Amino acid sequence: MSHMMDKSTENPSKKNGMIAKLTSFRRATWKNTSLGGKKFKLHAPAKNSDSAASPQPPSPSLNAGSASTSPKSNQEKEDDESDVSPHKSRPLTRSNTDPTTSPFDNTVKRVRESFYFRRKKDEDKATSIEEKDPNNTVKREFSFRRKGHEDRRSSMEVKPTFEEYLEMQAFCEATQQLIDREKHLFWETVEAEANKEAVEKVAADHKALEEHVWQILQKSLSLSTEEEVSALTSAVKAINLEEEQDQLWRQNSQTPPTWRPSEWKKRHDEVLQKLVNGRMDNPSSPIGDQVNQSSIEADIHSMGRQLKEDLQWVVEVVKNCYPPEMDICNFYARQYHQNFSARLKKIVGSVDDKDCSFLLRWVKEFYPGILEKPELASNINTEALGKLLPDELLKPLEEQYLSKQQKDLMIYIGRVLDEAKKEWDQGKEPTRDDGCYVSPVAYDVIQLINGIVTSAHITVRDPHKAQEITSNLTDFMQRYQTFHEDVIKQNKPHSKAFIKANLSCVEQFRDFLVEHDLFPEDVRENCLQVLTEMKQSAHTYLLTPVHKILKPHYQKLGTSDWLKKNTFEKLLNSTEDQLQELQGSSQSSYQELIGQLQQEVTVEYVQRLLKGKVKLKNTKKQEEAYETVKENAERLHELFARMGSEQDWLKEILTKIAEVLRLQDIPAIQMQIVSLGSAYPDLSEEHVSALLKLKTNLSQADMNTITSTVLDTLKESYTGGETRRFFSNVVMMSPSFPTCITSCSG
């Protein structure tokens, strides 16, 4: 009865046995499928990457009970669909979004979910199969398999045929079966010729298997289902089995069959190389990406996009189908790199200026940026890939690019200046911002320089080459200076407003030149010199009218009226009024301007005093003059400091001069003048003599002694170095040129 039952269910039993046996086969690891128990490595990884250095987790497609290791009959597939219908074969799709935003996360997640649910199905099969098999045949099979019963059922002994393996895309198992048949024919029998028909059958099967393997390899970058991912994993294992068998034949003295050596690894590389070439020949690119692009730009962009997406697919999906020692990520990276490089070399000789810029940015910026993405950098040895273009092709491209950038820069900043001239010619006054006149010239030019030079630096990856873009900047500054001087020369009603706005621009340009390393040194120095001249001419233009207004008050300094307080008070009041009129430039520019005015007023004060119109005949007069000079110094300093000037050192000059007027002891007078001359080495002999002549109670002999002693002391103590200059601006009305005590050094 049992026999009859078995016979009546022969087909299901055989199928179930085949499934169980296939499951056992598909659970085999790489080591277990190696011939003779030996591990044969094809080649070492190209680099000591993370994937090669540390053990990789087993591919989900290789787990026991996975989709790749549990092929099912049609009936079982129907059962599976009813059990786990939400998790039946779902297609792998690529995202159309930018790959940098992990477009394959959902795809990879679905692959992993599929593997999980397929394992879960097999684990639950023992219980669910009882209700589905009324004859209890499959139940006995799974019960035996789970409990390890020693009595092997006949269903466990039935293996799938070679054709069935192919149909299930179990290429590893199909390969192992062919190798076993090959061993039996050539190594376990006396004469293979006696089994000619069997040999021809193996040869035909080997050819059919090879065609199936190459077909799945050609889908490596477009796998659409989890089954295809599993099939690729099995195909890779088959290739390695074939390589091991080739190696065994090389060690054997027998004549190999016609299909040996099969060299599947070599063929594998050729197929993938052809696959990469085909994808780069016909890259996918959304139509919208090619708007406003030249044909060369569109081609480069499409190829770069294809390269980026495919390499990410390799890292996320294909890598899991290969053993670490095959280093598949670096293999693909080399193929894409070499292909992209070869195509760019053909383009180099025929690019215009626009395409040249785009090409260089891809070579120097965009392509390295793709490989630097964390998910790629951790799997690909980017240094080993080398450059996309050799130096002999890059150099002329860089020269063409930099020349174009330089021309563009000069055109753009020239337009900015032309616009400013246009507004001047139209009589427009500069706009005000927070009470200050502003001009867009400096801001716009600085943005253009910074943007173009910084971009060039990134593109050519050489700061010195990028700096050459600004080599003609001095010409622009000289044009700007010419416009500036023309505004002053014409002296129109809105000239002062323009000059105040220009002062702010001069300051911005100066800070930009000093703080940013975007210029050759000679260009920086030349431009700074032009800016200094522009500032000085602006100060002269704005301050000259002020001095004309203050001149009547200057004329009373150093006279008998000067000792009266109301005389200096009038000077202060008029000065304060003019300080208000000078406002209108930026705060820092205004500080520099009124600081210059404070220095010039102080020079005028000292100059008028040393003319000697007032005679201080006695100690009382000298004490009175001391108090007056000291008070004037305080009041003048207080006024300018309140308005924003930071020239505190000018107060010290008047204070030291006041001390000389007060002192009566010869050595004390000498020490005070030496102190003054040490701080300001441009103090001349004429200045000392004029100062001493104010003290009319000093004899000529005393004045000579003081002067000679001071000169000798200052010459001996002078050490050079940078010092402030003041007395060189104090012009003495003398027939001889004033001689600085230290030759006006510093």
Side-chain angles (χ1 to χ4, degrees):
M1 188 64 155
S2 174
H3 176 72
M4 292 177 62
M5 183 178 295
D6 291 342
K7 186 174 182 180
S8 64
T9 59
E10 181 179 359
N11 291 337
S13 298
K14 287 185 178 181
K15 289 186 177 180
N16 291 331
M18 175 185 70
I19 294 169
K21 197 62 177 179
L22 176 57
T23 299
S24 176
F25 269 92
R26 294 297 294 273
R27 287 179 176 176
T29 63
W30 286 97
K31 182 176 181 181
N32 293 334
T33 56
S34 302
L35 291 180
K38 296 182 180 179
K39 182 66 176 178
F40 175 67
K41 293 186 178 181
L42 300 181
H43 56 78
K47 68 166 188 173
N48 188 17
S49 64
D50 293 342
S51 62
S54 60
Q56 295 294 312
S59 170
S61 62
L62 302 182
N63 289 343
S66 68
S68 63
T69 58
S70 301
K72 301 174 179 60
S73 65
N74 293 333
Q75 180 61 43
E76 286 183 273
K77 288 182 180 179
E78 293 174 1
D79 294 342
D80 290 346
E81 291 174 359
S82 63
D83 289 344
V84 214
S85 58
H87 307 289
K88 62 183 292 188
S89 300
R90 287 171 292 181
L92 299 178
T93 59
R94 295 196 183 201
S95 172
N96 290 327
T97 59
D98 191 335
T100 59
T101 58
S102 301
F104 311 113
D105 288 349
N106 292 333
T107 296
V108 177
K109 182 178 179 182
R110 291 201 304 273
V111 174
R112 291 170 179 167
E113 287 178 350
S114 174
F115 292 147
Y116 169 77
F117 282 109
R118 288 180 180 277
R119 288 199 305 270
K120 188 73 168 59
K121 280 198 307 181
D122 285 344
E123 292 171 0
D124 296 340
K125 181 84 67 172
T127 56
S128 64
I129 201 69
E130 294 180 9
E131 299 177 358
K132 300 177 183 180
D133 188 358
N135 294 323
N136 211 24
T137 304
V138 180
K139 177 181 178 182
R140 287 198 306 272
E141 174 192 333
F142 272 89
S143 175
F144 159 71
R145 187 180 354 158
R146 295 178 63 185
K147 296 180 181 180
H149 196 278
E150 295 180 358
D151 183 16
R152 297 288 180 177
R153 304 292 182 177
S154 60
S155 59
M156 292 292 291
E157 298 173 356
V158 177
K159 293 183 181 180
T161 65
F162 174 79
E163 289 74 14
E164 289 172 333
Y165 276 139
L166 285 189
E167 182 179 354
M168 293 182 294
Q169 299 188 74
F171 304 123
C172 176
E173 289 79 357
T175 302
Q176 186 62 60
Q177 188 183 92
L178 285 185
I179 290 175
D180 291 342
R181 288 160 60 188
E182 178 183 316
K183 288 180 179 179
H184 176 73
L185 287 173
F186 290 90
W187 295 347
E188 296 175 4
T189 59
V190 179
E191 289 292 338
E193 294 181 359
N195 301 292
K196 183 177 180 181
E197 183 178 346
V199 170
E200 291 177 350
K201 173 61 174 165
V202 171
D205 288 348
H206 192 276
K207 183 177 181 180
L209 172 62
E210 185 175 4
E211 291 176 354
H212 280 74
V213 169
W214 302 148
Q215 287 175 4
I216 193 62
L217 278 180
Q218 290 167 354
K219 294 183 178 181
S220 295
L221 300 177
S222 56
L223 302 172
S224 58
T225 65
E226 288 86 348
E227 282 73 14
E228 288 184 345
V229 173
S230 178
L232 177 60
T233 303
S234 185
V236 172
K237 290 182 179 181
I239 291 170
N240 281 280
L241 286 176
E242 282 290 300
E243 281 293 303
E244 292 176 0
Q245 184 66 4
D246 281 350
Q247 183 65 17
L248 291 177
W249 271 108
R250 292 188 186 99
Q251 299 170 2
N252 195 304
S253 59
Q254 290 179 260
T255 301
T258 56
W259 59 88
R260 293 294 172 197
S262 64
E263 296 184 329
W264 277 18
K265 179 59 176 63
K266 179 181 178 182
R267 178 61 176 156
H268 162 275
D269 294 351
E270 293 172 351
V271 169
L272 295 191
Q273 183 180 23
K274 184 177 180 180
L275 172 63
V276 169
N277 292 340
R279 294 180 74 83
M280 293 293 276
D281 282 335
N282 300 287
S284 61
S285 178
I287 298 176
D289 289 355
Q290 300 181 7
V291 177
N292 298 324
Q293 289 185 339
S294 68
S295 59
I296 289 179
E297 286 179 329
D299 288 345
I300 295 175
H301 181 76
S302 297
M303 288 188 292
R305 183 187 183 95
Q306 189 70 61
L307 177 149
K308 180 180 181 180
E309 291 182 351
D310 287 354
L311 286 183
Q312 287 200 318
W313 180 263
V314 168
V315 168
E316 293 289 343
V317 179
V318 177
K319 172 187 173 183
N320 298 322
C321 301
Y322 282 78
E325 60 268 20
M326 291 189 73
D327 199 18
I328 193 62
C329 294
N330 277 306
F331 175 83
Y332 270 105
R334 285 192 299 273
Q335 300 307 313
Y336 276 102
H337 180 87
Q338 293 167 6
N339 185 287
F340 200 22
S341 175
R343 293 167 188 269
L344 294 183
K345 288 176 182 178
K346 296 178 181 179
I347 295 175
V348 168
S350 59
V351 294
D352 58 19
D353 290 336
K354 182 182 178 183
D355 292 337
C356 173
S357 175
F358 188 79
L359 175 57
L360 265 183
R361 294 196 71 184
W362 258 102
V363 172
K364 293 291 192 78
E365 181 182 355
F366 301 147
Y367 180 68
I370 291 174
L371 299 181
E372 288 169 3
K373 297 293 182 182
E375 60 270 24
L376 296 185
S378 60
N379 290 280
I380 295 173
N381 184 354
T382 56
E383 292 184 2
L385 295 178
K387 297 180 179 180
L388 268 180
L389 290 177
D391 290 338
E392 58 267 23
L393 294 180
L394 277 177
K395 186 176 179 180
L397 274 180
E398 290 177 350
E399 292 175 351
Q400 180 182 355
Y401 166 77
L402 293 173
S403 176
K404 178 63 164 57
Q405 296 303 302
Q406 184 183 72
K407 291 178 183 177
D408 287 348
L409 176 62
M410 296 307 296
I411 291 173
Y412 296 150
I413 63 179
R415 289 173 182 171
V416 173
L417 185 56
D418 291 340
E419 187 64 27
K421 289 180 179 180
K422 181 179 178 181
E423 297 205 352
W424 158 256
D425 293 336
Q426 293 174 350
K428 293 182 180 179
E429 190 174 86
T431 58
R432 280 180 176 264
D433 182 13
D434 197 20
C436 300
Y437 291 107
V438 294
S439 167
V441 172
Y443 179 83
D444 291 347
V445 170
I446 287 173
Q447 293 301 312
L448 287 167
I449 293 174
N450 187 63
I452 291 177
V453 177
T454 301
S455 177
H457 184 188
I458 296 173
T459 300
V460 300
R461 300 297 176 100
D462 188 330
H464 297 294
K465 290 181 179 179
Q467 287 177 356
E468 291 301 318
I469 293 176
T470 62
S471 58
N472 293 331
L473 187 60
T474 305
D475 295 338
F476 167 80
M477 286 298 179
Q478 289 172 344
R479 286 183 57 203
Y480 187 34
Q481 183 182 24
T482 300
F483 167 60
H484 177 81
E485 298 299 337
D486 190 48
V487 171
I488 292 174
K489 183 178 180 180
Q490 294 186 38
N491 195 27
K492 293 182 179 180
H494 59 303
S495 288
K496 286 186 178 180
F498 257 88
I499 296 304
K500 289 177 181 179
N502 282 354
L503 273 177
S504 299
C505 288
V506 167
E507 179 189 14
Q508 293 176 57
F509 277 132
R510 182 183 59 203
D511 292 343
F512 182 60
L513 285 162
V514 171
E515 296 172 4
H516 294 78
D517 191 23
L518 303 176
F519 318 91
E521 191 58 34
D522 60 330
V523 172
R524 186 199 312 274
E525 293 177 358
N526 293 336
C527 289
L528 288 174
Q529 179 60 36
V530 172
L531 293 172
T532 299
E533 293 172 0
M534 290 178 65
K535 184 183 76 171
Q536 290 173 348
S537 65
H539 284 184
T540 300
Y541 174 69
L542 295 174
L543 296 180
T544 297
V546 175
H547 290 302
K548 287 181 180 180
I549 294 174
L550 298 180
K551 186 175 181 180
H553 304 294
Y554 291 154
Q555 291 173 344
K556 294 181 180 181
L557 295 174
T559 65
S560 55
D561 291 339
W562 161 65
L563 296 176
K564 300 175 183 179
K565 293 184 179 181
N566 62 336
T567 300
F568 190 74
E569 191 72 29
K570 292 179 181 179
L571 173 62
L572 287 178
N573 291 337
S574 295
T575 302
E576 185 172 4
D577 292 340
Q578 294 306 307
L579 289 174
Q580 299 288 347
E581 290 294 325
L582 291 174
Q583 291 180 340
S585 56
S586 66
Q587 180 61 29
S588 54
S589 297
Y590 177 68
Q591 285 181 348
E592 284 192 74
L593 178 61
I594 64 174
Q596 180 67 28
L597 177 60
Q598 182 181 0
Q599 182 174 346
E600 292 178 1
V601 170
T602 305
V603 166
E604 191 68 36
Y605 186 100
V606 173
Q607 191 167 276
R608 296 283 179 172
L609 180 62
L610 295 184
K611 283 184 177 181
K613 290 185 179 182
V614 63
K615 302 299 180 182
L616 308 176
K617 298 178 181 180
N618 52 50
T619 303
K620 182 180 179 181
K621 284 289 185 181
Q622 292 173 18
E623 187 70 30
E624 184 180 355
Y626 160 75
E627 293 292 344
T628 300
V629 174
K630 184 178 179 183
E631 182 183 358
N632 293 168
E634 289 285 352
R635 297 285 303 279
L636 195 63
H637 170 72
E638 187 276 333
L639 171 62
F640 277 94
R642 176 160 47 86
M643 298 303 293
S645 175
E646 299 178 348
Q647 306 298 320
D648 299 339
W649 60 280
L650 294 168
K651 174 185 173 182
E652 180 187 33
I653 294 175
L654 297 182
T655 302
K656 289 182 180 294
I657 290 176
E659 287 292 335
V660 173
L661 297 179
R662 181 181 67 85
L663 295 172
Q664 301 300 316
D665 184 57
I666 300 298
I669 295 174
Q670 291 174 342
M671 290 181 61
Q672 190 63 33
I673 297 177
V674 167
S675 174
L676 184 63
S678 298
Y680 307 98
D682 58 345
L683 177 69
S684 69
E685 182 179 351
E686 285 74 14
H687 293 132
V688 175
S689 297
L691 179 57
L692 293 176
K693 285 179 181 179
L694 294 176
K695 301 169 71 71
T696 56
N697 59 342
L698 286 176
S699 65
Q700 186 64 45
D702 289 339
M703 288 193 290
N704 291 339
T705 300
I706 293 172
T707 302
S708 61
T709 302
V710 168
L711 290 175
D712 293 341
T713 303
L714 288 174
K715 288 180 180 179
E716 292 175 0
S717 62
Y718 180 69
T719 58
E722 186 176 353
T723 55
R724 295 184 186 274
R725 301 179 66 83
F726 176 82
F727 286 98
S728 56
N729 296 317
V730 179
V731 180
M732 302 303 301
M733 302 301 293
S734 173
S736 61
F737 189 82
T739 304
C740 297
I741 294 176
T742 57
S743 302
C744 297
S745 300

